[in-house]
Amino acid sequence: MELSAKYNPAEVEDKWYSYWLEHKFFHSEPNEKEPYTIVIPPPNVTGILHMGHVLNNTLNDVLIRKARMDGKNACWVPGTDHASIATENKVVAKLKAEGISKEDLTREEFLAHAWAWKEEHGGIILKQLRKLGASCDWDRTRFTMDPDLSEAVINTFVHFYKKGWIYKGVRMVNWDPEALTAVSDDEVIHKDTQSHFYHLKYYISDGNGNPTDRYLVIATTRPETIMADAAICVNPADERHHWLRGKKVLIPLINREIPVIEDSYVEMDFGTGCLKVTPAHDVHDYEIGLRHNLPVLDIIDEHGRLNEEARILVGEDRFVARKKIVKMLEESGNLLKTEEYTSPVGYSERTNAVIEPRLSAQWFLKMDKLAGLALETVESGKTRLIPDKYINTYRHWMENVRDWCISRQLWWGQRIPAWYLPDGKVVVEPDAEAALKAAQAIDPSLKAEDLRQDEDVLDTWFSSWLWPISVFDPQMPGHPDHVPNKDLSYYYPTNDLVTGPDILFFWVARMIMAGNEFMGKEPFHNVYLTGIVRDKIGRKMSKTLGNSPDPLDLIAKHGADAVRIGMLLCSSAGNDIFFDESQIEQGRNFCNKIWNSYRLIKSFAVDENTQQSDVCKVAVDWFDAKLSQTIQTVEDHYSKFRISDALMAIYKLFWDDYCSWYLEAIKPAYADGKPLPMDKATYDATLRYFEALIKMIHPVMPFISEELWQDMEQRKEGETIMFAPTPKARPFDASVITAFEMAAETINAIRGIRNQKNLPPRAPLALKIKGDFPKQAVPVIERLANTSSVEIVPEFSESNGVNFLIRTVEMFVPLTGLINVEEEIAKLEKELEYQKKFLAGVRAKLSNERFTAHAPEAVVANERKKEADSLSKIESFESQLKSLINSK
RNA sequence: GGGAGCAUAGCUCAGUCGGUUUAGAGCAUCUGCCUUACAAGCAGAGGGUCGGCGGUUCGAAUCCGUCUGCUCCCACCA
């Protein structure tokens, strides 16, 4: 194959992805090998790929591809989440744009629209993941509303209901007036919001519903709720308000009479010390109402508009009503003053509507036992959080968890399997048939049409918490007819889970609970928590800011491998990612480097009769050792989930060690305009090393590695780098590495001299070395430093030139006429001065008796070595200085 | 309001048990090169009082206290 000077990912990526699919390389079935399993964090079914997905799925793919090459039976289960509220919102918005209101549709009609939407937009994101190179087992693709997965959810509900952990109760819930549903506490975001603090006069009643001229003052941010007031409350210890005891006051504008009550909940020094109690529209007020038996008057409807009970401003939106009522209160003389005020206000995570506390009947799941066990799972280390700093937050959440409100007033999702009898009794069964049977057990005369199923659906997380179990066995253990399933027993528990910390509680903790409940075992061993992808100035990526690049554009522009590298280079676990396209360019450059190194080695010719040169021998032996050393480092990084460090180690091994040093050392010389052939031993080693390198990089850069691996030799149909075993480290001689490093440092120093003295790279220079230097490194220096001669001598016989030190070895390059003696003297003096200061520091330490007495022997010995090295350097500098001065 | 975390080069980050480090990497920057794989490249160079102050210790980027600045989580003082 002819190779162009630049790597072109577009020509390569689709080809190999199709090849992988065609041969079902991603597919896994239980076998005798050790399983390695990951379930995908299911993206919203109608979602599209964003940079967060790219990060997450690249990490997943790196782990799964690494495991596959490590010889495990790797299985990555993909799928999507029905995302009840998010999807329903989208469908409602789409219908609205077509002039259809959800309220005009029956449940069945609406669901038909929703499924049509899902068929049209669903799974786009999974197609996009293929572009990224994700090696998911697509045959196992799951959707949380697949019929059998829905069945698992329903059975789970029945399971907990029969266990007595699910109950229905009237509670103050977080009501989203836009989505028209309750949302959980976790779905409410509190933001400090600028508002007003209105001070209102409530006149004391004369007992007959007429105002006297005395009044009290309350301070409120929500004047539109005064019509729902049930009492005015003061702190019993607040003497300022004792005169109000037993009094009744009149609500402004509507003149309804309400009592003054006392409760220590009221803060004396906040506001006026008088609190208006509005049980229907505030959580705390509701609790005060319960304590004092106050009536609950609900004046706000599900849309957030005032209803008939309000008596005034009926039908007005709560915020419009607020403005209007302020004006009315002002006119009536009840508004004493208005203050600017900033207070936390809850917003719906989904619709950004201001949450309205609202009383309603909802279904709850008791959390105490589930949370206790889930905490134990993490604290005992059965499931590890990476980074482990999240354990504190996790513990706090588990210890303060409240019962989980699992019902949602939506249609898109699993409908709650509860049926109401005409008398209000409820039966909970997996389906209508079973429900009728159960109902007839209570009242044999009942018929199917007498039963009414609960209208609500279940919270999305109530289905996705089963994900690591239900994707393998939708019937779920715990079901009375459950038969153990081969997939579940083989793949569960899964190994690692990669996800964002924002859903640690929503999803991860709840999967642990479900795992404990149904499997008696944690669902995964490690949870790798990524950071949030931000733009380069630290803003969260969002559609509204328009600061999020389209990953597919990036892939088209730079290639999938480049995008993957770009994401990984800046992603240590748990830290937020500051994304910058230049990181992807770095990845693209690396692809090109790999590509061109391959072009070079492909151009090598072999001659079986050529003897291996010294320099080739040294380079081959060195890289052999270096490769093993780096493999050890990389494996260590992987074992600690330090993926970006593992990648960086491979990157440097490839670029610096293999390309810049190894290939430059063994690259054939030219004769008569043609490169000389290479000996076979070197050639074979070079290819062997290249193959090891592309195998090491394959989990991160699947496409280019497959392309080059396939090109290296004639591969059979069905062969792939995907299953090539990860290179293994072998024992190596560290002194081989040291020797080469010293040669490299020497070469760098000589190049530096050339650069500094403005000498052309090929200007012949002689090198003299004094002292103990590894002889095998000499040919490397000759080859790469363009020296005319390298001699190891007992003493330097001349002084006109440049002196330098490599570690503790003195070196000298004669440079007659090319050096400025004054400059050299100044340079040496500076170094000498620094060295003397350094020596003084070391000696101060050594002469401190407490140091020599307390410090470990090895540390003291090291200080002594520093002292000796420093002394020898000083001696060398001084003698160089002397001869330089003499030569003037 | 409560809790947690972070602060190391221009940027993003390593730095393990306090001592093999006279604080490292990648990118960016600067200088010189179109040298027979690669200018998406090569060679070289510069750049840090480890956020401030105090303490423990023979020894602190590392441990403790405190201040400053950021981030996140939890929390409806109406």
Side-chain angles (χ1 to χ4, degrees):
Chain A
M1 183 172 63
E2 275 299 306
L3 299 179
S4 69
K6 284 191 167 54
Y7 170 60
N8 183 353
E11 286 172 10
V12 166
E13 296 183 350
D14 288 349
K15 176 179 73 185
W16 292 117
Y17 203 87
S18 308
Y19 177 79
W20 295 332
L21 283 182
E22 205 179 296
H23 290 277
K24 290 204 172 291
F25 290 148
F26 304 157
H27 184 60
S28 166
E29 286 293 333
N31 62 17
E32 69 296 338
K33 284 204 275 186
E34 184 189 341
Y36 176 87
T37 317
I38 292 181
V39 291
I40 203 169
N44 290 1
V45 64
T46 60
I48 53 162
L49 199 69
H50 62 238
M51 297 309 290
H53 294 123
V54 171
L55 172 66
N56 181 275
N57 288 291
T58 299
L59 285 164
N60 270 320
D61 199 42
V62 169
L63 294 177
I64 208 91
R65 284 181 184 271
K66 172 80 167 62
R68 206 177 272 128
M69 294 176 83
D70 283 343
K72 294 180 186 153
N73 182 351
C75 183
W76 182 11
V77 182
T80 49
D81 191 282
H82 67 281
S84 66
I85 188 163
T87 306
E88 180 149 332
N89 282 348
K90 282 186 196 169
V91 176
V92 169
K94 179 226 174 203
L95 290 172
K96 203 172 166 188
E98 293 168 8
I100 305 170
S101 162
K102 181 188 163 191
E103 284 149 55
D104 298 337
L105 298 176
T106 64
R107 186 179 192 116
E108 286 65 34
E109 286 166 345
F110 179 82
L111 285 176
H113 281 290
W115 279 105
W117 172 271
K118 185 254 168 191
E119 290 312 315
E120 195 183 332
H121 299 272
I124 289 178
I125 193 162
L126 298 183
K127 294 268 176 346
Q128 293 178 316
L129 282 178
R130 292 166 209 225
K131 288 279 175 197
L132 189 65
S135 58
C136 302
D137 184 351
W138 299 111
D139 297 337
R140 293 182 178 273
T141 304
R142 285 306 207 155
F143 173 48
T144 53
M145 265 172 72
D146 281 342
D148 48 353
L149 265 72
S150 281
E151 211 175 299
V153 174
I154 298 304
N155 288 337
T156 299
F157 185 95
V158 175
H159 166 89
F160 281 114
Y161 183 81
K162 301 219 156 148
K163 203 168 175 170
W165 290 9
I166 284 182
Y167 62 95
K168 193 174 187 182
V170 174
R171 289 293 164 87
M172 189 67 85
V173 295
N174 307 297
W175 184 261
D176 179 339
E178 237 166 79
L180 300 182
T181 178
V183 295
S184 68
D185 292 340
D186 319 296
E187 289 163 313
V188 178
I189 301 159
H190 293 277
K191 287 187 269 194
D192 273 339
T193 304
Q194 182 69 46
S195 64
H196 302 280
F197 215 17
Y198 302 98
H199 290 248
L200 305 181
K201 293 184 197 171
Y202 280 46
Y203 283 91
I204 312 297
S205 168
D206 65 0
N208 299 315
N210 299 312
T212 62
D213 55 0
R214 300 195 75 188
Y215 62 86
L216 57 80
V217 180
I218 60 99
T220 180
T221 54
R222 299 205 59 190
E224 74 279 12
T225 63
I226 60 171
M227 292 81 81
D229 286 354
I232 296 294
C233 188
V234 297
N235 192 304
D238 193 341
E239 294 183 1
R240 294 174 301 169
H241 299 308
H242 281 172
W243 65 278
L244 288 168
R245 278 181 178 162
K247 296 273 191 309
K248 295 194 169 186
V249 298
L250 296 170
I251 298 174
L253 303 178
I254 59 171
N255 274 337
R256 187 159 57 75
E257 203 176 64
I258 53 170
V260 175
I261 58 167
E262 291 179 310
D263 195 293
S264 56
Y265 166 77
V266 178
E267 298 283 336
M268 285 159 54
D269 46 8
F270 187 82
T272 61
C274 295
L275 170 71
K276 76 185 207 54
V277 183
T278 318
H281 302 294
D282 184 279
V283 181
H284 291 128
D285 290 11
Y286 179 67
E287 279 161 16
I288 295 171
L290 287 180
R291 285 199 288 273
H292 296 270
N293 262 323
L294 297 175
V296 177
L297 187 63
D298 188 346
I299 63 162
I300 297 179
D301 71 9
E302 54 178 8
H303 298 281
R305 295 184 293 237
L306 298 198
N307 64 22
E308 317 250 302
E309 299 285 353
R311 290 164 54 182
I312 54 172
L313 297 169
V314 173
E316 295 282 8
D317 175 80
R318 52 199 167 140
F319 297 110
V320 177
R322 184 178 301 172
K323 276 189 189 145
K324 291 193 173 171
I325 203 167
V326 168
K327 208 157 168 239
M328 289 161 73
L329 288 164
E330 203 174 356
E331 284 163 3
S332 70
N334 290 87
L335 182 63
L336 192 67
K337 63 171 174 176
T338 305
E339 289 174 334
E340 291 293 310
Y341 186 64
T342 304
S343 62
V345 173
Y347 292 83
S348 166
E349 189 187 42
R350 298 291 172 189
T351 63
N352 205 34
V354 173
I355 291 297
E356 187 64 46
R358 189 160 193 261
L359 275 177
S360 61
Q362 303 285 347
W363 291 91
F364 292 88
L365 172 60
K366 286 188 187 169
M367 294 297 267
D368 48 352
K369 294 222 174 54
L370 290 168
L373 268 177
L375 179 57
E376 195 272 334
T377 302
V378 169
E379 289 204 311
S380 66
K382 281 184 260 182
T383 292
R384 218 155 54 95
L385 302 183
I386 298 147
D388 59 10
K389 65 177 178 184
Y390 285 105
I391 197 164
N392 290 329
T393 334
Y394 182 86
R395 183 184 304 111
H396 183 261
W397 195 76
M398 287 304 166
E399 286 173 349
N400 295 285
V401 68
R402 288 199 274 171
D403 286 352
W404 178 10
C405 173
I406 52 175
S407 46
R408 293 291 182 277
Q409 289 65 52
L410 301 168
W411 284 342
W412 179 246
Q414 288 92 11
R415 191 168 176 181
I416 290 178
W419 279 264
Y420 299 98
L421 277 51
D423 64 357
K425 284 204 185 80
V426 65
V427 291
V428 171
E429 294 296 337
D431 53 50
E433 204 181 321
L436 181 60
K437 232 166 150 186
Q440 285 167 339
I442 299 169
D443 176 356
S445 73
L446 287 173
K447 297 193 181 58
E449 57 267 30
D450 298 326
L451 297 188
R452 187 177 51 81
Q453 187 178 359
D454 197 292
E455 292 293 329
D456 292 352
V457 299
L458 288 158
D459 181 13
T460 295
W461 304 105
F462 196 82
S463 65
S464 46
W465 73 325
L466 307 177
W467 190 244
I469 306 169
S470 62
V471 294
F472 296 114
D473 188 352
Q475 194 185 30
M476 300 284 297
H479 188 270
D481 311 322
H482 182 254
V483 231
N485 158 312
K486 203 166 106 193
D487 277 0
L488 187 63
S489 47
Y490 181 73
Y491 292 114
Y492 191 99
T494 70
N495 294 68
D496 303 329
L497 179 83
V498 180
T499 193
D502 48 334
I503 52 172
L504 180 57
F505 309 126
F506 278 124
W507 190 47
V508 178
R510 284 171 184 157
M511 281 192 285
I512 295 174
M513 293 176 191
N516 285 331
E517 175 73 14
F518 293 106
M519 301 296 292
K521 221 174 195 181
E522 68 283 1
F524 25 71
H525 303 306
N526 301 294
V527 179
Y528 178 100
L529 296 153
T530 65
I532 294 163
V533 183
R534 298 171 180 277
D535 67 11
K536 65 176 160 183
I537 56 172
R539 297 174 305 178
K540 238 176 168 168
M541 289 197 168
S542 75
K543 267 188 212 159
T544 43
L545 280 174
N547 59 349
S548 173
D550 181 344
L552 292 189
D553 290 346
L554 292 174
I555 290 171
K557 200 162 144 202
H558 305 293
D561 289 339
V563 171
R564 292 164 64 110
I565 285 226
M567 287 311 292
L568 290 184
L569 278 173
C570 53
S571 61
S572 50
N575 285 344
D576 281 359
I577 313 304
F578 293 84
F579 177 79
D580 187 342
E581 198 165 331
S582 71
Q583 287 148 355
I584 292 183
E585 281 167 22
Q586 189 186 347
R588 178 204 59 182
N589 295 353
F590 186 40
C591 290
N592 213 41
K593 189 70 186 176
I594 294 172
W595 184 258
N596 277 295
S597 64
Y598 180 68
R599 280 177 71 213
L600 176 65
I601 62 175
K602 215 185 158 172
S603 74
F604 291 159
V606 198
D607 177 7
E608 307 259 352
N609 300 317
T610 302
Q611 281 289 309
Q612 189 177 40
S613 66
D614 287 346
V615 63
C616 286
K617 169 104 180 60
V618 176
V620 165
D621 289 349
W622 161 70
F623 196 80
D624 201 65
K626 187 72 196 173
L627 180 64
S628 281
Q629 187 191 46
T630 309
I631 289 169
Q632 280 183 359
T633 309
V634 169
E635 291 297 321
D636 183 54
H637 286 318
Y638 271 121
S639 74
K640 293 170 182 153
F641 287 88
R642 302 169 72 135
I643 313 291
S644 59
D645 288 342
L647 168 60
M648 186 48 66
I650 302 169
Y651 178 92
K652 285 197 271 194
L653 179 69
F654 211 132
W655 196 311
D656 299 342
D657 296 318
Y658 187 71
C659 293
S660 296
W661 288 108
Y662 176 82
L663 287 179
E664 291 300 333
I666 61 114
K667 203 155 95 173
Y670 273 68
D672 301 329
K674 278 194 282 186
L676 294 166
M678 185 180 281
D679 70 276
K680 189 151 179 4
T682 305
Y683 181 76
D684 289 347
T686 304
L687 285 179
R688 198 165 65 239
Y689 298 152
F690 185 80
E691 182 166 4
L693 287 166
I694 56 172
K695 282 185 198 166
M696 286 172 79
I697 204 70
H698 176 262
V700 181
M701 306 172 79
F703 292 109
I704 192 173
S705 52
E706 180 78 285
E707 169 75 7
L708 298 181
W709 188 84
Q710 294 283 349
D711 194 73
M712 283 184 77
E713 52 188 84
Q714 195 62 47
R715 307 287 181 189
K716 291 191 208 80
E717 178 68 20
E719 279 193 296
T720 175
I721 193 173
M722 282 180 53
F723 292 111
T726 309
K728 299 279 181 302
R730 293 183 298 165
F732 61 91
D733 179 354
S735 73
V736 170
I737 294 176
T738 309
F740 195 93
E741 278 172 359
M742 288 185 75
E745 285 166 32
T746 309
I747 293 157
N748 283 340
I750 293 171
R751 286 170 176 169
I753 290 166
R754 280 205 172 84
N755 219 288
Q756 203 190 338
K757 305 288 173 204
N758 269 317
L759 297 172
R762 296 198 183 281
L765 290 179
L767 173 68
K768 293 183 197 300
I769 301 171
K770 187 165 83 180
D772 192 16
F773 188 79
K775 286 192 185 57
Q776 72 264 38
V778 170
V780 181
I781 298 173
E782 288 171 327
R783 174 79 175 85
L784 293 176
N786 281 316
T787 47
S788 55
S789 68
V790 178
E791 278 180 89
I792 298 184
V793 297
E795 280 301 329
F796 299 145
S797 53
E798 50 192 319
S799 59
N800 208 340
V802 180
N803 291 277
F804 59 96
L805 273 175
I806 296 300
R807 303 192 183 184
T808 56
V809 182
E810 288 177 56
M811 303 209 178
F812 178 74
V813 174
L815 273 175
T816 320
L818 277 168
I819 61 153
N820 180 329
V821 178
E822 297 299 335
E823 239 174 56
E824 292 299 316
I825 290 174
K827 207 173 83 187
L828 270 174
E829 277 175 342
K830 209 174 142 198
E831 283 182 59
L832 188 60
E833 194 190 340
Y834 175 84
Q835 207 53 240
K836 279 181 172 166
K837 244 162 95 184
F838 176 68
L839 179 66
V842 173
R843 284 193 161 158
K845 210 179 219 184
L846 283 170
S847 63
N848 183 337
E849 270 175 45
R850 284 187 293 183
F851 170 70
T852 45
H854 290 269
E857 235 171 90
V859 174
V860 178
N862 185 52
E863 289 302 315
R864 295 214 185 278
K865 186 173 178 299
K866 280 187 193 170
E867 182 188 30
D869 288 353
S870 183
L871 269 173
S872 103
K873 284 179 187 179
I874 287 170
E875 199 184 314
S876 150
F877 288 146
E878 278 175 339
S879 86
Q880 287 168 30
L881 254 179
K882 216 157 116 191
S883 58
L884 267 176
I885 290 164
N886 287 341
S887 76
K888 273 213 289 193

